Amino acid sequence: MSTRTLISPAQLARPRGKFLYWTAFTAVTVLFTLVFIGPLYWMVISGLKSPQEFAQTPPTLIPDAVHPKNYADAWGVMDLAKLLFNTLYYAFGALAFQLVFDVAAAYSLSKLRPVFGKAILGMMLLTLMIPATVLVVPQYLTVLDVPVVERNLINSPWVIWLPSVTNAFNIFLLKRFFDSIPRELLDAAAIDGASSLRTLRSVVLPLSRPILGVVSIFAVVAVWKDFLWPMLTLPDPGKQTVNVGIYSLAASVSENWLLAALAIASLPTLIIFLIFQRNIMSGLTAGSLKG
Amino acid sequence: MSAPTLSKRKARPSAPTDSRAARPEPGAFRQALKRNLTAHAFLIGALLCFSLFSWYPMVREFILAFQKTENGETVWAGWSNLTYIFNDPAFWQAWRNTLLFTALALVLGFAVPFAIALILNEFRHGRGYLRLLVYLPVMLPPVASVLLFKYFYDPGYGLFNRILESVGLPGQAWLQDTDTAMLSVVVAATWMNMGGATLIYLAALQSIPGELYEAAELDGAGVFRRIWHVTIPQTRLILSLMLLLQIIATMQVFVEPFLLTGGAGPEGATLTVVHLIYQYAFTFNNYGSAAALGLVLLVLLAGFSAAYARLSRAGSED
């Protein structure tokens, strides 16, 4: 906690300072609540309105009549159970692939240090320099016909899982964390006869819980929020994610159902956020530069 | 595939911790071989994925840009894809719109989070709650936030026009009007995405030593001069890194206009470069032109990426 910021504590302690501080604080709190919670509130209550009430002007802030059945209808009509299950399946599959492959790669690059290790890390980091959207077209053509194995991955979960492994940023975060684990610990494990895999499992991973948590949350949220890639690669309505499914049904269902569906689709990531907000916010600035 | 995250500035190989000086020992070669085999075994999964889904597409992007498909056969096209896109009027419109979006997003998306961070940093109460609020929209699925804004912008029953009318101002057509369409998209995009930047600025502000403000105050500097002479110089590195990131990210904007206005918008007022790439590739099946346009975007952003990499390296060596 810093002691001193832009405005001095002495100035704030004066009656005038106190008054201004509390006025500004109240104004900002009310304004922020309106700006950031307001839309969410509007989404939830619009989902509860009847179609007539939704379309009426001026809009009502508190619904005249509450129709919780809209949520059930939206759930059934848009087959949200299926869309949510698909998204969950892709998100946790991507998480599993990233945890296995990216952790192994970061461990190897940090602690086992193979020949060409630096070149490999450099090549991985190079992918961060290429604008992601530029690669969408060649990546799409690649998953249409994956070289060597000659498989078409469209509409299969692999099309989400395997590319999610190519997250150079996560590998870099993990490697930086592993770098900070003292060499002596690993040497001690080696003297006890532990293999590299055993060392990773019994020494490195237990020490890395914080960074694994951050990487996991980011991995799940990234799949949950992605739009363009799943839209291109999962055209089958039965295989779509919540984002794409709701988007493609948006024009064909009534508006109060659509808003109910949006509220349902927002719930999982909001819950993740409220539970893990501390980890998410520290992860966001993890290892970031000092200004 | 997802938009670049805010924290990509860490994209820099860390300094070597200790050098692997090979000491010639009996049996050392076999040991080194074994160690390397194990190390590469751990790498194999990630290497295969990177090869197939990152490195190969990177190479393919360059090849595609100089190829075209005629009667189902892929032939060498030389520069014709590039001349084709340069002669497409949509190309220039897309670039004008994208630059307008970037400029507007810099005014809003760069200044607003910094101002919010400055204000939040002064508060001694409720900071956790306010921080939570600012970051909340970042966690929403984009479809939810964008479709919400679509309803707010609705000229008939939309909330924004109701607010305008209640203070006696005329309602706007927002997304349907060529003059306001892009601004409307930027406002929605800023609301959705600014949480990350705000938190990063807040972290940077907290690292400023309080004595500097004290000294400035003793010298008689008012609040704005303190911001100008202390806050901004002290956060200069973060500010310039975020500026570069913001430029790189906003020039690739796709989802917001795509969902709000169907991509092109009224008379193409919100057609962006990435949407044009999307159109070439997935509407017209013209992968060559899509790749050529991607290459133009890549070349333009490479300068910003290089500046970013240099700056972040210089910053972490302090």
Side-chain angles (χ1 to χ4, degrees):
Chain A
M1 195 68 232
S2 58
T3 47
R4 165 73 217 243
T5 52
L6 206 50
I7 318 267
S8 74
Q11 217 167 358
L12 282 179
R14 276 177 223 139
R16 205 174 97 91
K18 257 188 193 151
F19 174 74
L20 283 177
Y21 174 82
W22 284 108
T23 316
F25 179 73
T26 317
V28 167
T29 309
V30 170
L31 184 74
F32 275 35
T33 308
L34 275 181
V35 168
F36 292 107
I37 305 267
L40 298 183
Y41 169 78
W42 189 84
M43 170 167 79
V44 172
I45 60 139
S46 298
L48 289 170
K49 290 176 182 174
S50 67
Q52 294 77 21
E53 193 184 348
F54 179 82
Q56 99 190 22
T57 41
T60 45
L61 280 180
I62 298 161
D64 298 334
V66 177
H67 299 266
K69 201 172 161 290
N70 287 341
Y71 279 80
D73 289 341
W75 182 269
V77 169
M78 302 178 82
D79 206 356
L80 288 178
K82 171 127 226 162
L83 294 177
L84 283 170
F85 171 78
N86 287 346
T87 316
L88 208 67
Y89 181 55
Y90 300 139
F92 281 91
L95 171 63
F97 273 89
Q98 283 188 49
L99 282 184
V100 173
F101 289 152
D102 289 354
V103 165
Y107 171 64
S108 174
L109 292 171
S110 166
K111 292 300 181 201
L112 307 176
R113 274 178 279 135
V115 265
F116 307 128
K118 269 199 202 133
I120 290 169
L121 182 66
M123 294 257 293
M124 286 176 173
L125 294 174
L126 182 71
T127 61
L128 293 179
M129 304 274 290
I130 307 278
T133 46
V134 168
L135 286 188
V136 165
V137 171
Q139 267 169 341
Y140 175 77
L141 294 177
T142 304
V143 297
L144 279 183
D145 179 17
V146 179
V148 190
V149 288
E150 294 182 351
R151 287 264 315 264
N152 181 343
L153 298 184
I154 297 293
N155 279 328
S156 91
W158 301 100
V159 82
I160 305 289
W161 293 342
L162 293 179
S164 81
V165 173
T166 66
N167 190 331
F169 178 67
N170 275 355
I171 293 181
F172 183 67
L173 265 189
L174 289 165
K175 181 187 174 290
R176 285 247 307 222
F177 194 90
F178 294 164
D179 282 344
S180 70
I181 296 175
R183 189 86 234 161
E184 293 77 35
L185 277 179
L186 303 186
D187 289 342
I191 289 167
D192 287 346
S195 67
S196 306
L197 187 63
R198 183 71 208 271
T199 313
L200 173 63
R201 223 178 46 217
S202 318
V203 181
V204 176
L205 289 187
L207 289 171
S208 311
R209 286 238 283 274
I211 195 73
L212 291 176
V214 167
V215 167
S216 303
I217 294 165
F218 284 163
V220 169
V221 171
V223 173
W224 211 279
K225 288 195 61 178
D226 203 3
F227 181 78
L228 176 58
W229 184 248
M231 177 178 72
L232 291 174
T233 56
L234 302 166
D236 177 353
K239 304 249 164 81
Q240 281 170 348
T241 61
V242 154
N243 268 325
V244 181
I246 291 183
Y247 161 73
S248 51
L249 291 172
S252 58
V253 298
S254 72
E255 286 162 324
N256 50 343
W257 285 359
L258 180 61
L259 280 148
L262 295 182
I264 295 171
S266 307
L267 210 56
T269 40
L270 285 184
I271 291 174
I272 292 183
F273 177 52
L274 293 176
I275 297 176
F276 297 106
Q277 42 134 332
R278 204 169 286 270
N279 310 49
I280 292 174
M281 292 194 187
S282 66
L284 198 72
T285 44
S288 77
L289 300 161
K290 285 258 165 103
Chain B
M1 272 138 270
S2 53
T5 58
L6 290 163
S7 11
K8 272 183 185 162
R9 92 188 86 89
K10 274 157 274 180
R12 184 194 74 89
S14 60
T17 40
D18 59 320
S19 64
R20 223 165 357 100
R23 269 166 287 143
E25 269 171 40
F29 176 73
R30 278 188 56 161
Q31 260 197 334
L33 186 72
K34 187 165 168 261
R35 202 178 48 92
N36 266 304
L37 282 178
T38 321
H40 281 289
F42 275 94
L43 271 174
I44 195 82
L47 276 184
L48 279 177
C49 288
F50 268 95
S51 309
L52 285 177
F53 303 109
S54 277
W55 297 327
Y56 171 64
M58 270 161 73
V59 175
R60 194 154 176 192
E61 161 71 22
F62 283 90
I63 299 172
L64 269 177
F66 298 99
Q67 281 181 339
K68 70 168 116 190
T69 310
E70 273 170 358
N71 313 321
E73 256 183 88
T74 307
V75 291
W76 202 246
W79 297 97
S80 69
N81 286 328
L82 279 166
T83 46
Y84 170 79
I85 59 166
F86 283 133
N87 287 318
D88 186 350
F91 174 87
W92 301 104
Q93 188 176 23
W95 274 108
R96 269 198 309 275
N97 289 340
T98 303
L99 293 178
L100 175 67
F101 180 89
T102 305
L104 287 173
L106 286 185
V107 174
L108 280 180
F110 188 65
V112 171
F114 189 66
I116 290 180
L118 271 180
I119 294 171
L120 292 196
N121 199 40
E122 292 310 311
F123 288 155
R124 273 137 196 80
H125 305 86
R127 218 194 257 176
Y129 170 70
L130 293 171
R131 260 187 356 183
L132 192 94
L133 283 185
V134 176
Y135 201 67
L136 209 58
V138 180
M139 297 301 285
L140 291 180
V143 169
S145 21
V146 168
L147 291 184
L148 267 179
F149 266 83
K150 213 170 168 177
Y151 285 118
F152 293 150
Y153 283 132
D154 190 284
Y157 49 79
L159 226 48
F160 286 167
N161 274 354
R162 297 296 312 162
I163 295 171
L164 282 186
E165 283 160 19
S166 69
V167 292
L169 291 166
Q172 302 288 321
W174 301 111
L175 296 166
Q176 278 87 37
D177 186 336
T178 50
D179 293 330
T180 50
M182 194 51 112
L183 183 67
S184 309
V185 173
V186 175
V187 168
T190 306
W191 184 82
M192 288 166 65
N193 300 321
M194 70 177 182
T198 309
L199 295 193
I200 287 171
Y201 292 142
L202 205 51
L205 289 179
Q206 275 159 14
S207 70
I208 300 177
E211 300 87 66
L212 294 177
Y213 287 121
E214 231 150 74
E217 199 182 4
L218 286 178
D219 288 344
V223 171
F224 288 103
R225 295 193 56 167
R226 271 176 253 163
I227 294 176
W228 185 250
H229 290 292
V230 179
T231 316
I232 290 179
Q234 285 289 311
T235 48
R236 211 189 61 231
L237 182 66
I238 286 280
L239 285 177
S240 35
L241 284 173
M242 295 297 285
L243 181 71
L244 287 171
L245 259 195
Q246 185 97 355
I247 292 172
I248 295 171
T250 52
M251 286 184 74
Q252 299 181 65
V253 63
F254 172 81
V255 176
E256 290 89 350
F258 183 78
L259 290 171
L260 276 173
T261 64
E267 293 166 46
T270 62
L271 174 79
T272 62
V273 172
V274 174
H275 190 77
L276 190 58
I277 294 180
Y278 172 87
Q279 275 191 344
Y280 280 144
F282 303 108
T283 314
F284 309 130
N285 280 321
N286 186 346
Y287 296 115
S289 300
L293 181 52
L295 216 52
V296 175
L297 181 65
L298 173 65
V299 168
L300 212 96
L301 289 183
F304 291 110
S305 291
Y308 180 79
R310 271 187 80 107
L311 257 184
S312 61
R313 191 166 317 139
S316 53
E317 271 161 17
D318 282 345

